[in-house]
Amino acid sequence: PAAYAEASPITYVRANSKQTLIFHGKLDLLVPYQQSLALENRLGEVGVNKKLILIEDTGHEVVNLTNTATFLSNCESWLKLYLK
């Protein structure tokens, strides 16, 4: 249990954590998407700007031939918002 907590990003969420953009495939067999939901919730609890994008038909590799343009568009919008 200690190793799991140490490896989990949710363990390190603080009020001064940086803005966070999360992509997660709902068909991910390695990391359940509920872990990203929990991370998003924790970030919100401490007031960190965050965005979770769940991709319905994708597994652990969230970028594929059908969603590359959307993925890049979301990244670009996020970076324009927070990189100044």
Side-chain angles (χ1 to χ4, degrees):
Y4 293 131
E6 187 177 330
S8 176
I10 204 168
T11 301
Y12 304 98
V13 171
R14 304 287 183 267
N16 65 345
S17 294
K18 298 296 181 192
Q19 306 86 344
T20 305
L21 175 61
I22 309 163
F23 291 90
H24 206 123
K26 287 189 82 175
L27 301 179
D28 191 334
L29 299 177
L30 296 175
V31 180
Y33 74 89
Q34 291 84 354
Q35 289 190 18
S36 285
L37 290 171
L39 176 59
E40 178 194 33
N41 288 334
R42 181 68 185 129
L43 289 164
E45 289 172 358
V46 298
V48 174
N49 291 325
K50 77 310 190 228
K51 182 175 184 179
L52 170 61
I53 299 171
L54 292 175
I55 304 168
E56 295 293 326
D57 59 349
T58 302
H60 195 71
E61 298 78 22
V62 295
V63 181
N64 59 39
L65 293 175
T66 60
N67 69 13
T68 300
T70 302
F71 174 84
L72 291 174
S73 176
N74 278 296
C75 289
E76 181 180 20
S77 296
W78 185 261
L79 292 172
K80 282 182 178 178
L81 187 60
Y82 292 106
L83 288 182
K84 297 179 182 182

